[in-house]
Amino acid sequence: MRLNILKSLFVASALILSALLPLSTAAETETGATPQSAIFAIPAVWPWGYRDRHGEPAGSLVQLAHRLVAIADVPIDYELRPHRRAVAEIVQGRSDFVVLFENPAIDSAAFDLGVVVQTEVLLTARADSETELSMEGLAGQTVAFVSGTYYGEVFRQADKIEKVPVRDVFQALEMLKRGRVSAVLCSDQALYHTLKSLDLPYQNFRMNVFRKGQEGHLYMSRKAMHPELREPLADALEQLRQTGELESIFHLPE
């Protein structure tokens, strides 16, 4: 008798629970958390992306991301990433958008949404140095460069120089000042912003253009979690170009 009562209670409880589950699932669908926002990965390399003294994201790419999101009016979170991680996440589809220098390794993994900035890549040495600023002139010597950055095939294939990867141009210039490297290879954007930040006069250095017209592009991962945002961001980038705001964001310091 007691066993039959327990069975009846169990069956009744199961029926009530099964009836409530679909209602609960439906409620979660309608009132649950919003879908995950798209991610705009920003390489944490000065002056493109860094944290200011208050710990907040800052830099030219942070400004760009902020304006793109505002104009497109879409849910995108922009987050600082170590350079190599930013590249890896775009390839894997763990981030949706990134701005990187043109790179053959990225072309097969991401859609190119347009040119963001055009730079010159410079070789820089101390003013008292007599070394010829070219791959040939630097043969057998050390050249610092920002780790993970693509500076073209000539540099990638250069095997007669000793390449020294560094965290950023601050570190590269410090090594140059101490004589630990013979030259620094970096974009004009990175060099001029760093010199201004350190209050170092240009006259302390010799510079030579290594590569003209190196372009930074806005990319969207081919495995992006939010492919529907491709057109809105491309349109927002074009609007910034047409209004001149894009040029203003990447204006070189005087």
Side-chain angles (χ1 to χ4, degrees):
M1 178 78 174
R2 184 175 180 180
L3 183 59
N4 289 335
I5 292 174
L6 289 174
K7 285 183 178 180
S8 298
L9 288 173
F10 177 79
V11 172
S13 299
L15 288 172
I16 292 171
L17 186 60
S18 64
L20 288 175
L21 279 175
L23 293 176
S24 176
T25 304
E28 282 184 17
T29 302
E30 291 182 15
T31 63
T34 55
Q36 181 181 356
S37 297
I39 296 176
F40 194 128
I42 297 176
V45 178
W46 171 274
W48 313 103
Y50 58 94
R51 293 196 180 277
D52 63 20
R53 61 180 180 174
H54 303 295
E56 296 298 321
S60 50
L61 290 185
V62 174
Q63 294 179 50
L64 173 68
H66 177 74
R67 292 298 296 133
L68 288 174
V69 171
I71 293 171
D73 192 22
V74 291
I76 298 178
D77 295 330
Y78 42 94
E79 302 176 3
L80 294 176
R81 295 281 193 268
H83 189 279
R84 289 185 180 276
R85 180 179 166 188
V87 174
E89 287 190 355
I90 283 295
V91 172
Q92 298 163 0
R94 294 169 59 194
S95 292
D96 298 87
F97 301 96
V98 72
V99 173
L100 294 169
F101 282 131
E102 51 189 337
N103 186 335
I106 295 297
D107 292 340
S108 60
F111 297 107
D112 184 354
L113 304 191
V115 177
V116 168
V117 61
Q118 189 170 77
T119 71
E120 290 186 337
V121 178
L122 304 175
L123 274 168
T124 302
R126 297 191 324 191
D128 59 1
S129 165
E130 297 182 358
T131 301
E132 178 188 332
L133 292 176
S134 67
M135 291 295 101
E136 295 77 16
L138 288 162
Q141 300 186 58
T142 50
V143 178
F145 70 102
V146 177
S147 177
T149 303
Y150 179 75
Y151 292 110
E153 286 301 295
V154 173
F155 180 69
R156 190 182 72 82
Q157 296 180 19
D159 56 6
K160 297 195 178 347
I161 61 170
E162 182 181 346
K163 302 172 186 176
V164 182
V166 296
R167 179 184 61 256
D168 52 35
V169 180
F170 286 104
Q171 182 183 7
L173 287 178
E174 183 63 27
M175 295 176 72
L176 182 64
K177 286 163 56 181
R178 293 175 179 270
R180 294 174 57 190
V181 296
S182 302
V184 173
L185 184 70
C186 65
S187 70
D188 53 3
Q189 289 271 339
L191 180 64
Y192 294 146
H193 279 283
T194 305
L195 290 176
K196 182 177 181 179
S197 176
L198 294 172
D199 199 24
L200 290 173
Y202 298 167
Q203 292 78 8
N204 288 7
F205 304 92
R206 291 190 303 115
M207 305 165 195
N208 189 42
V209 176
F210 171 72
R211 188 184 186 206
K212 291 185 178 181
Q214 173 145 315
E215 296 176 342
H217 290 242
L218 174 61
Y219 291 103
M220 185 187 82
S221 173
R222 293 182 182 271
K223 299 178 181 178
M225 296 172 283
H226 295 274
E228 73 279 3
L229 300 182
R230 175 180 178 178
E231 187 172 336
L233 244 66
D235 290 346
L237 178 61
E238 184 57 30
Q239 181 174 327
L240 287 176
R241 193 187 328 280
Q242 294 297 328
T243 61
E245 191 172 351
L246 189 63
E247 183 179 355
S248 177
I249 290 173
F250 296 100
H251 180 70
L252 287 172
E254 297 178 357

